[in-house]
């Protein structure tokens, strides 16, 4: 900027104002003081935006101000006094203006000021969104790149969304680019709470008050796969749960939004790595916000073979994807894993239109026709243009329309069967299922002979008896076991297992009453194996005072109303022992546990096992030690007091034997 004209104008003004004979004056005897005034340009900010400026030169005098002399841009002008004057400068820059006021007596007063004329609007090179430390908050970092002004400093910036109201003027930060956080969801800050594509308008202002031209940037505000998703309701199969994507506070989807929902289930290979196998199934549906597809999804959770679900939500606007949320789908993203209540494979309700498919049987057999059916919900309908497809290895089959699809698997392996809405539908609706196809299984499964021993617990007129077995199948695998019992030679009756494939069963049986068990398996192809029978076993109790028990010295008989017969043997001396030789297929040592009881060394046929009988509270008639064999034989059990410090006592209330 050239300041020379300003200095020359002021110097010339001062010299000429001192020439006494510049004008004839008649001095009045009573006017003894010079005028008093001030000078400013424009709004007084020190800046002007036009070459023609208004100079404020108001002055007062005890008699009257009669004339004034202005000096600017190497020019002197004598004028009758007026409180203001218009001055035109030759070009923009920093200028000086001087004034001398004269009264009737010839007294003069000098004043001057400087200001800058800036007639050029500032400029902006570009605008973009910078990285944001928290992508889910309600602000975004705007970067104003290469903004400036030829003459004056930039002072403020403002923003607006989609041509709406401007935000307040933010003091513009320094640096390049200039970064500022913008509350893009707040209309009072020039934003809008509607997500999606929008036009971001930016202006900068210089010190002279000139705003730049509006620079418009088209931006898509999106939250792809960053949003949380909550689950509410009874999270078990057969019950309705609600999945809700959590948009930023105050944010809404645009009215033209299209929303996509998907529910997929399977193992990690299917959901995380995309290697679909026979655990996989899916439902997909998509539609407009106006038709309710963008609201939280309430749906009945079906029973499926593997209850590991991935739930996906996506929203799109005219500029592309806006928001995304999901449960599952990566090793670090927990899946939705409901508990089991209902066992129906059907989805009985949904608040969003959808279609799901199910095979009539999970056992697809090579060479045997298999049928799938489509089930519409929430107002969805099936059309003749819908497409059924089945994908083998490079051997696709297709069919148009219909609520069912029957095909014959040609090879073994997992087969993806899908239904999806055809070309006549505006938006996506689809479903798939991946059961395996196998060659027919005609081989019955096998089971081992049930082994019977004692279970854990206590003895009181009855004793816990445990039955165990194993099963094998060379075909599709075992689906279930059936266990039955016969008491004292009576009819066989079925017992209820803890699960279809349980291989252990425990129940209480009365002493001296024979019982026998049998088990068989059914495989996944429906083949039923033969019965395998246990021996008939009879629980027998041997009292602690029986002649068959041999006690070393140091044992005492203790009166105890909780013991059998009101008596038990106890010892607190380390090394004291009791031995018992018996014939049977299982043995259990009966005694008491509690705070004063300690460890024992138990030898069965010479093999040592340590047994802990200490407990917080006393409990009598416990099965302290158990051992079983596959057949009846003669064995010896020897129990030795360890003499544990502070709790040395051992209790012997007898033994239980299975013969």
């Amino acid at each position: 900027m050239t300041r020379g004209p300003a200095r020359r104008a002021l110097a010339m003004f001062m010299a000429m104002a001192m020439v006494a004979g510049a004008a004839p004056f008649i001095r009045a005897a009573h006017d003894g003081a010079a005028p008093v005034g001030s000078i400013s340009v424009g709004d007084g900010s020190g800046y002007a935006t036009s070459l023609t400026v208004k100079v404020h030169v108001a002055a007062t005098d005890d008699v009257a101000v009669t004339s004034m002399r202005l000096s600017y841009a190497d020019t002197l002008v004598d004028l009758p006094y007026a409180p203001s004057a218009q001055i035109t400068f030759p070009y923009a820059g920093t200028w000086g203006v001087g004034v001398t006021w004269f009264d009737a007596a010839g007294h003069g007063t000098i004043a001057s000021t400087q200001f800058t004329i800036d007639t050029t609007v500032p400029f902006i090179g570009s605008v973009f969104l910078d990285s944001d430390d928290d992508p889910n908050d309600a602000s975004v970092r705007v970067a104003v790149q290469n903004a400036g002004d030829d003459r004056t400093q930039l002072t403020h910036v403002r923003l607006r969304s989609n041509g709406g109201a401007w935000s307040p003027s933010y003091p513009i930060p320094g640096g390049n680019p200039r970064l500022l956080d913008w509350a893009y969801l707040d209309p009072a800050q020039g934003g809008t709470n509607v997500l999606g594509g929008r036009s971001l308008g930016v202006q900068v202002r210089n010190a002279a008050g000139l705003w730049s031209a509006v620079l418009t940037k088209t931006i898509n505000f999106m939250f792809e796969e960053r949003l949380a998703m909550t689950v509410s309701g009874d999270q078990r199969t057969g019950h309705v749960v609600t999945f809700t994507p959590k948009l930023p506070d105050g944010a809404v989807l645009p009215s033209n939004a299209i929303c996509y929902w998907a529910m997929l289930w399977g193992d990690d290979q299917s959901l995380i790595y995309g290697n679909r196998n026979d655990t996989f199934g899916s439902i997909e549906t998509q539609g407009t916000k106006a038709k309710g597809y963008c609201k939280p999804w309430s749906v009945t959770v079906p029973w499926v073979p593997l209850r590991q679900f991935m739930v996906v939500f996506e929203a799109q606007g005219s500029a592309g994807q806006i928001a995304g949320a999901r449960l599952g789908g990566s090793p670090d993203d927990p899946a939705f894993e409901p508990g089991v209540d209902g066992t129906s494979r059907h989805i009985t309700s949904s608040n969003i239109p959808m279609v799901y498919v199910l095979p009539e049987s999970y056992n697809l057999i090579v060479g045997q026709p298999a049928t799938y059916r489509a089930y519409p919900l929430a107002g969805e309908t099936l059309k003749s243009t819908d497409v059924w497809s089945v994908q083998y290895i490079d051997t696709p089959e297709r069919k148009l329309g219909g609520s069912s699809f029957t095909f014959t698997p040609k090879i073994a392996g997992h087969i993806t069967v899908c239904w999806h809405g055809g070309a006549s539908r505006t938006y996506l609706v689809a479903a798939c299922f991946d059961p395996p196809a196998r060659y027919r299984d005609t081989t019955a499964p096998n089971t081992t002979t049930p082994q019977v021993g004692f279970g854990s617990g206590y003895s009181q007129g009855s004793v816990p008896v445990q039955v165990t077995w194993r099963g094998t199948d060379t075909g599709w695998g075992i689906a279930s076991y059936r266990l039955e019992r016969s008491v004292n030679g009576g009819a066989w009756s079925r017992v209820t297992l803890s699960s279809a494939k349980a291989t252990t069963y425990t129940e209480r049986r009365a002493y001296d009453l024979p019982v026998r068990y049998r088990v068989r398996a059914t495989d996944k192809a429906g083949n039923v194996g033969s019965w395998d029978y246990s021996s008939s076993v009879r629980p027998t109790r041997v009292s602690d005072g029986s002649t068959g028990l041999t006690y070393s010295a140091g044992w005492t008989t203790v009166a105890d109303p909780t013991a059998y017969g009101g008596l038990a043997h106890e010892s607190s001396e380390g090394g004291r022992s009791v031995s018992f030789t018996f014939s049977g297929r299982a043995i259990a040592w009966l005694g008491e546990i509690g705070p004063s009881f300690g460890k024992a060394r138990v030898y069965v046929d010479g093999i040592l096992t340590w047994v802990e009988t200490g407990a917080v509270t006393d409990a009598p008639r416990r099965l302290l030690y158990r051992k079983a064999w596959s057949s009846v034989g003669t064995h010896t059990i020897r129990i030795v007091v360890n003499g544990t410090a502070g709790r040395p006592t051992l209790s012997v209330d007898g033994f239980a034997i299975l013969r």
Side-chain angles (χ1 to χ4, degrees):
M1 298 181 187
T2 302
R3 300 183 179 269
R7 290 194 292 269
R8 290 195 300 272
L10 287 176
M12 182 182 70
F13 167 73
M14 297 293 290
M16 296 182 67
M18 297 175 63
V19 179
F25 294 102
I26 300 174
R27 190 179 302 275
H30 62 277
D31 188 352
V36 176
S38 62
I39 181 171
S40 64
V41 178
D43 60 4
S45 65
Y47 294 93
T49 59
S50 172
L51 295 179
T52 299
V53 299
K54 188 174 185 179
V55 182
H56 303 279
V57 287
T60 59
D61 187 70
D62 54 359
V63 175
V65 180
T66 59
S67 64
M68 60 184 181
R69 177 173 294 143
L70 297 178
S71 171
Y72 60 92
D74 297 328
T75 301
L76 288 175
V77 180
D78 288 315
L79 298 171
Y81 170 73
S84 63
Q86 294 285 110
I87 299 176
T88 299
F89 289 84
Y91 51 85
T94 299
W95 295 96
V97 179
V99 60
T100 301
W101 297 276
F102 296 99
D103 60 16
H107 296 134
T109 302
I110 300 172
S112 64
T113 188
Q114 285 188 339
F115 69 100
T116 299
I117 297 176
D118 188 351
T119 60
T120 304
V121 297
F123 58 87
I124 303 174
S126 62
V127 171
F128 58 93
L129 298 186
D130 194 61
S131 60
D132 192 345
D133 293 336
D134 185 358
N136 285 344
D137 63 10
S139 67
V140 68
R141 187 161 297 163
V142 178
V144 181
Q145 179 84 36
N146 297 327
D149 186 272
D150 289 335
R151 295 190 179 277
T152 57
Q153 183 180 2
L154 296 180
T155 60
H156 291 81
V157 61
R158 63 184 182 184
L159 306 99
R160 67 180 180 185
S161 182
N162 291 341
W166 286 104
S167 71
S169 298
Y170 302 110
I172 193 165
N176 184 27
R178 292 168 167 87
L179 303 176
L180 65 151
D181 291 329
W182 177 44
Y184 69 93
L185 294 182
D186 186 357
Q189 298 297 316
T192 172
N193 61 350
V194 180
L195 296 175
R198 65 175 74 175
S199 295
L200 170 62
V202 182
Q203 277 187 306
V204 294
R205 192 186 74 183
N206 63 17
L210 292 175
W211 286 99
S212 70
V214 178
L215 181 62
T216 301
K217 177 79 171 181
T218 300
I219 295 174
N220 186 32
F221 285 85
M222 59 185 291
F223 291 83
E224 182 180 4
E225 295 184 357
R226 294 175 176 174
L227 302 179
M229 184 184 296
T230 61
V231 186
S232 59
D234 189 337
Q235 297 180 34
R236 296 182 296 165
T237 57
H239 296 267
V240 175
V241 298
T242 299
F243 301 100
T244 304
K246 184 66 173 70
L247 293 175
D249 291 342
V252 297
L253 298 176
S255 59
N256 66 346
I258 297 172
C259 291
Y260 165 87
W261 283 98
M263 177 185 286
L264 308 92
W265 56 90
D267 59 12
D268 288 350
Q269 286 296 316
S270 294
L271 298 185
I272 298 176
Y273 303 108
N275 301 322
R276 294 182 179 180
N277 54 40
D278 56 22
T279 70
F280 178 77
S282 67
I283 301 163
E284 298 176 273
T285 187
Q286 179 179 285
T288 63
K289 179 180 178 180
K291 292 188 176 181
Y293 285 80
C294 298
K295 61 188 176 184
W297 186 18
S298 297
V299 62
T300 304
V301 180
W303 184 94
V304 294
L306 186 67
R307 288 170 299 282
Q308 177 174 293
F309 290 82
M310 178 171 69
V311 180
V312 179
F313 169 81
E314 294 177 358
Q316 292 191 357
S318 57
Q321 181 143 331
I322 302 169
R326 71 182 181 189
L327 295 173
S330 74
D332 301 324
D333 187 7
F336 170 59
E337 300 184 70
V340 176
D341 187 14
T343 57
S344 173
R345 299 182 297 155
H346 288 273
I347 302 172
T348 56
S349 66
S350 171
N351 66 332
I352 295 176
M354 55 168 281
V355 173
Y356 67 98
V357 299
L358 285 176
E360 288 189 341
S361 171
Y362 283 120
N363 296 321
L364 273 64
I365 300 173
V366 176
Q368 181 173 312
T371 298
Y372 279 72
R373 297 191 181 277
Y375 301 91
L377 285 174
E380 189 59 83
T381 59
L382 305 178
K383 298 184 179 182
S384 60
T385 55
D386 296 335
V387 179
W388 285 95
S389 63
V390 55
Q391 181 67 52
Y392 300 89
I393 301 175
D394 301 325
T395 312
E397 293 183 22
R398 290 167 58 88
K399 172 197 169 185
L400 293 179
S403 61
S404 66
F405 176 48
T406 301
F407 72 100
T408 301
K410 298 179 176 62
I411 58 174
H414 82 85
I415 298 175
T416 302
V417 177
C418 293
W419 172 97
H420 67 85
S424 64
R425 295 178 182 267
T426 306
Y427 298 114
L428 170 70
V429 57
C432 295
F433 221 102
D434 272 22
R438 302 169 176 147
Y439 290 102
R440 183 180 295 278
D441 181 0
T442 59
T443 304
N446 293 314
T447 49
T448 59
T449 299
Q451 299 297 308
V452 186
F454 288 114
S456 63
Y458 65 95
S459 171
Q460 187 176 2
S462 64
V463 66
V465 171
Q466 185 178 77
V467 187
T468 60
W469 65 92
R470 297 190 310 276
T472 57
D473 183 67
T474 58
W476 297 357
I478 291 174
S480 64
Y481 294 100
R482 182 184 180 108
L483 181 69
E484 295 184 351
R485 79 167 78 85
S486 171
V487 179
N488 203 22
W492 291 98
S493 62
R494 184 173 185 174
V495 301
T496 302
L497 300 177
S498 59
S499 66
K501 297 174 69 174
T503 57
T504 301
Y505 175 73
T506 302
E507 64 177 359
R508 301 193 66 81
R509 301 305 313 164
Y511 282 114
D512 299 320
L513 189 63
V515 63
R516 193 181 188 193
Y517 298 93
R518 67 180 185 181
V519 66
R520 71 181 183 187
T522 300
D523 67 17
K524 294 178 181 179
N527 299 308
V528 180
S530 301
W531 289 109
D532 282 287
Y533 294 80
S534 74
S535 300
S536 178
V537 297
R538 180 170 59 90
T540 302
R541 183 181 175 273
V542 178
S543 71
D544 61 296
S546 171
T547 57
L549 276 64
T550 302
Y551 291 92
S552 68
W555 290 85
T556 59
T557 302
V558 179
D560 185 350
T562 65
Y564 282 111
L567 298 173
H569 277 72
E570 290 186 359
S571 177
S572 300
E573 298 183 38
R576 305 306 179 182
S577 65
V578 57
S579 298
F580 176 46
T581 298
F582 62 95
S583 177
R585 66 176 62 248
I587 182 74
W589 163 29
L590 308 179
E592 187 172 356
I593 61 175
S596 63
F597 295 95
K599 291 183 178 181
R601 301 194 302 274
V602 179
Y603 297 87
V604 176
D605 299 334
I607 299 176
L608 171 64
T609 301
W610 285 90
V611 176
E612 174 64 74
T613 67
V616 176
T617 57
D618 287 305
R621 303 181 184 180
R622 309 303 296 183
L623 277 69
L624 302 179
Y625 170 82
R626 297 170 288 138
K627 177 71 175 177
W629 296 266
S630 60
S631 60
V632 174
T634 300
H635 305 278
T636 298
I637 182 170
R638 180 170 173 259
I639 301 171
V640 181
V641 179
N642 187 59
T644 307
R647 47 185 186 92
T649 306
L650 282 187
S651 168
V652 176
D653 197 13
F655 295 90
I657 302 172
L658 278 180
R659 291 193 167 95

